[in-house]
Amino acid sequence: MSGSEAGAKQFFNLNEEKKRQQGTYLGRLKYFFAITNPLNAFINDTQIQWSKKKMEEYWAIEKVKGGAEMTTGELKDLLKAERIYNTIFHPDTKQKISYPFRMCAFMPTNLPIMFGMLCTPQTIVNVVFWQWINQTYNACLNYNNRNATSSFTNKELGIAYTGAVSTSISIALVGRWLSKRFGVQTGSISSQRFRNGLVSLVALSCAGFLNLFLIRYNEMNKGVMLMHKDREYGISKAAARKAVVSSACTRAVLPIPLTMLTAVCWKLIEMVRMTPKGRSGVIAADMLILVFTLTVSMPIALSLFKQELTINKDKLEPEFRNIKDANGNLITQFNFNKGL
């Protein structure tokens, strides 16, 4: 590309650019790998303030002109600013998400939890304790990454937390029983991880689905904000149901790459004859494998759906079926934040 071509300005709408880039599963996978990258922990305050200023400047122009004229380099900077902004700030509240509950913290925050699950004696007390820690973290992660256009009272949040955590722990204990009843402790480590992973997969998927579904249940009762071309049109419960169920499905899928990739990694270790000796060596290898599987599993699951979903007017409440835009055209589809 020549200098004149690189410096030529074109009109860009960021939302349209995002739709183009995230229109395929691979495009969304690339985006969510960037958002969930553990190295985002090293984003400093200068970068955060730069991204915030950059996005606010763009939004001010977009509100008036529907987009902005910029060079390819300026668009690249804007997309970088948006990635940093979306990593740190909630899309609805525009407030910083606490670090442990950002998607980029999923791997480092889960490591000590997984270590506790792997290394402590598998008594009922230990299993319940570590599952409580695990499911409490999952509930906080799900709450902090919800669609936040509807508010929760402390009582509603307490009921949702109690239901989500107690149900998830109960299912996880069923999974533990299934693993002891039908799992295997003989054969190669890879075959053990594969068979035991399959046994516990249903329980893990159900626990993940219900944790998110229950912690965001009030969202379905209160509704989420519908948008069209960056303009708000009202709260819809139908859209909220789609948002919550779609997000819960990502948690149901999450254990699949976690369990299957673990077995694949162990098979590769065995193929190159590097199987560690002793329990401590196996645990160390398991932790290294967890670093890899936790890093890649979340973006694989999140990429099933766009973060901003669309819904046809005919699937919404009657009051949204005959709304026209500023130009007098009937709006047939609305957008809304699915949450993560």
Side-chain angles (χ1 to χ4, degrees), residues 311-317 320-321 331-332:
I311 188 169
N312 191 283
K313 67 179 181 65
D314 295 328
K315 295 182 179 180
L316 292 168
E317 294 84 347
F320 296 110
R321 294 175 186 172
I331 301 175
T332 58

Side-chain angles (χ1 to χ4, degrees), residues 303-319:
S303 300
L304 289 174
F305 303 97
K306 299 177 182 178
Q307 184 168 353
E308 188 176 85
L309 296 180
T310 60
I311 188 169
N312 191 283
K313 67 179 181 65
D314 295 328
K315 295 182 179 180
L316 292 168
E317 294 84 347
E319 60 265 31

